[in-house]
Amino acid sequence: MTNTNMAANADQEKKRGDECLAEARYLADGGFHTAAVTRAYYAAFHWALALLLLKGLEPRTHRGVIQLLQLHYVETGLLKPEMAAALAQLETCRELGDYNAKAVFDAARAATEIMAIPARARDLKRRFMIEVLVMCAGLEGEVGEHADADDAVG
């Protein structure tokens, strides 16, 4: 996969994440709280997948996204450890909401998960912007792996 293809595929995933967050808010406003929590997970999932695609990584499972995010972004200091943990927690909520009829999320839980997404997304999106800029500028070897996302993107 070329850098251009990786960036284009990653951008599609990022946009899908934005769309999923809008869906989560819409569902919550309509009283569909369990569905809103599952869409909140997909927002974070697509943003995380976008980051992995920028490194040429193509996980085959949802769990693979979390594991590769941990390995390539958290353990290298590019993302805070809470990011992978939050994604794993949301994945558990999504699985419960999708596969366990007894699992019901109320308005408070949906609001908590949806309201947390923008803060989580800020870190993911900042890292995404840094990765795209580095890739487009051909600076992979010149930019430190531990560049602070807050310094690079406002």
Side-chain angles (χ1 to χ4, degrees):
M1 188 178 338
T2 67
N3 281 357
T4 302
N5 288 343
M6 284 190 295
N9 291 343
D11 189 56
Q12 286 177 333
E13 291 295 335
K14 186 188 83 54
K15 287 176 183 173
R16 181 65 184 185
D18 294 343
E19 186 178 290
C20 288
L21 179 57
E23 292 168 356
R25 289 179 174 146
Y26 180 80
L27 289 165
D29 289 345
F32 300 99
H33 306 297
T34 301
V37 171
T38 65
R39 296 317 293 165
Y41 161 73
Y42 278 107
F45 168 82
H46 285 289
W47 292 323
L49 184 55
L51 283 175
L52 296 172
L53 289 172
L54 287 175
K55 287 195 176 284
L57 302 168
E58 299 181 58
R60 297 179 189 263
T61 65
H62 287 254
R63 189 66 56 181
V65 168
I66 295 166
Q67 291 171 342
L68 289 174
L69 188 72
Q70 176 73 31
L71 181 65
H72 292 276
Y73 283 93
V74 175
E75 290 182 13
T76 60
L78 297 173
L79 282 176
K80 297 173 187 170
E82 299 83 35
M83 294 305 303
L87 185 58
Q89 177 187 346
L90 272 172
E91 183 194 26
T92 299
C93 291
R94 193 257 327 162
E95 289 173 348
L96 286 171
D98 284 348
Y99 302 115
N100 185 339
K102 293 180 182 179
V104 177
F105 297 105
D106 61 12
R109 181 60 184 268
T112 298
E113 296 301 341
I114 292 168
M115 288 173 52
I117 289 291
R120 294 171 185 155
R122 187 172 40 252
D123 285 346
L124 289 171
K125 286 181 176 182
R126 283 181 176 155
R127 190 71 239 167
F128 178 84
M129 294 294 291
I130 290 169
E131 296 285 335
V132 169
L133 290 171
V134 167
M135 181 182 295
C136 290
L139 300 174
E140 284 93 342
E142 298 175 34
V143 176
E145 281 289 297
H146 300 281
D148 187 342
D150 291 328
D151 293 340
V153 178

